[in-house]
Amino acid sequence: NAGVTQTPKFRVLKTGQSMTLLCAQDMNHEYMYWYRQDPGMGLRLIHYSVGEGTTAKGEVPDGYNVSRLKKQNFLLGLESAAPSQTSVYFCASSYSWAQETQYFGPGTRLLVL
Amino acid sequence: SQKIEQNSEALNIQEGKTATLTCNYTNYSPAYLQWYRQDPGRGPVFLLLIRENEKEKRKERLKVTFDTTLKQSLFHITASQPADSATYLCALRNSGNTPLVFGKGTRLSVIA
């Protein structure tokens, strides 16, 4: 099992460009999450999904959109990147809300110039 | 306002000693609390979960305590080794249908 994988590992964008980060999990988990991690700020939840076709906003959703068209995939989109979105992005998944051990991907480092 | 605080940004400890990391919370009623380990350039890895009705949990050299009166969890690593050097994150799940909330982490360095 690969667990949780993220694509790409690293990306540089110019302000105003768009991109999509892909997260895939092979554990048949219902719940998936996108976090960003910044120095001194810890892990902050951007969006999450409690099942295929559903999404919900987390703590810092502005400037991001997400989609969960297939159970195993969770996409994070930046429509018009800003330097404030420079961060490390982590995807995670969990089996259920009650048994919420989260399994994290390796992260995507994004630099917006 | 709600806060979850790990009150040491960094902790240095001698090999063989017990490392103790603290997680305090304010204005939460946690259903459970978790601890994760994060190595540089990698995603967090789950270590232990302790529920509101549990006082202590152990796993090998790791021990977690949970005091709902003090609103605090302590994370202990006994007989610490240089390989234990990492950032440790606490996270809590508030009662009700809300997502996990993470602390900012404590960077532990175990010196040989």
Side-chain angles (χ1 to χ4, degrees):
Chain A
N1 285 354
V4 179
T5 57
Q6 292 183 234
T7 310
K9 288 185 170 49
F10 176 69
R11 185 78 183 267
V12 179
L13 285 181
K14 293 181 180 176
T15 297
Q17 285 185 318
S18 63
M19 80 164 294
T20 300
L21 283 67
L22 172 63
C23 176
Q25 53 94 4
D26 61 2
M27 296 174 282
N28 201 33
H29 285 169
E30 289 292 335
Y31 296 78
M32 296 187 75
Y33 316 84
W34 276 108
Y35 294 91
R36 60 178 289 173
Q37 188 173 41
D38 304 290
M41 299 298 292
L43 275 169
R44 292 182 293 169
L45 184 65
I46 304 171
H47 286 281
Y48 63 99
S49 169
V50 300
E52 184 178 315
T54 74
T55 62
K57 293 180 181 179
E59 180 187 354
V60 289
D62 294 341
Y64 305 95
N65 56 74
V66 287
S67 64
R68 182 102 181 265
L69 297 179
K70 291 183 180 179
K71 185 177 184 178
Q72 62 268 34
N73 295 339
F74 196 27
L75 278 62
L76 178 71
L78 286 73
E79 286 187 351
S80 179
S84 60
Q85 294 177 304
T86 293
S87 188
V88 180
Y89 292 86
F90 288 101
C91 176
S93 70
S94 65
Y95 180 69
S96 72
W97 209 240
Q99 297 296 327
E100 204 190 320
T101 299
Q102 293 195 8
Y103 296 83
F104 283 82
T108 293
R109 188 173 297 275
L110 177 65
L111 176 61
V112 183
L113 301 174
Chain B
S1 62
Q2 293 177 317
K3 283 192 291 187
I4 175 168
E5 294 177 304
Q6 296 186 244
N7 59 359
S8 297
E9 221 177 278
L11 181 66
N12 295 329
I13 194 159
Q14 207 72 30
E15 182 177 8
K17 301 290 186 186
T18 296
T20 298
L21 285 63
T22 305
C23 179
N24 295 297
Y25 58 90
T26 307
N27 293 327
Y28 283 107
S29 298
Y32 58 71
L33 200 142
Q34 299 179 344
W35 285 87
Y36 289 78
R37 169 183 173 140
Q38 186 175 21
D39 292 289
R42 293 179 174 261
V45 175
F46 170 78
L47 296 174
L48 283 167
L49 180 152
I50 186 164
R51 300 190 184 279
E52 59 178 332
N53 59 349
E54 296 174 321
K55 296 284 189 196
E56 184 180 296
K57 267 280 186 70
R58 290 176 185 263
K59 180 183 173 183
E60 297 171 356
R61 294 185 296 111
L62 308 180
K63 184 177 86 171
V64 173
T65 62
F66 193 5
D67 189 327
T68 54
T69 302
L70 292 179
K71 300 186 186 305
Q72 181 181 79
S73 175
L74 298 179
F75 176 79
H76 306 272
I77 306 175
T78 57
S80 58
Q81 305 165 0
D84 295 324
S85 297
T87 296
Y88 292 86
L89 308 171
C90 73
L92 66 81
R93 168 85 196 287
N94 208 20
S95 55
N97 204 24
T98 57
L100 208 59
V101 178
F102 283 83
K104 294 178 183 178
T106 295
R107 189 173 66 253
L108 174 69
S109 298
V110 181
I111 302 156

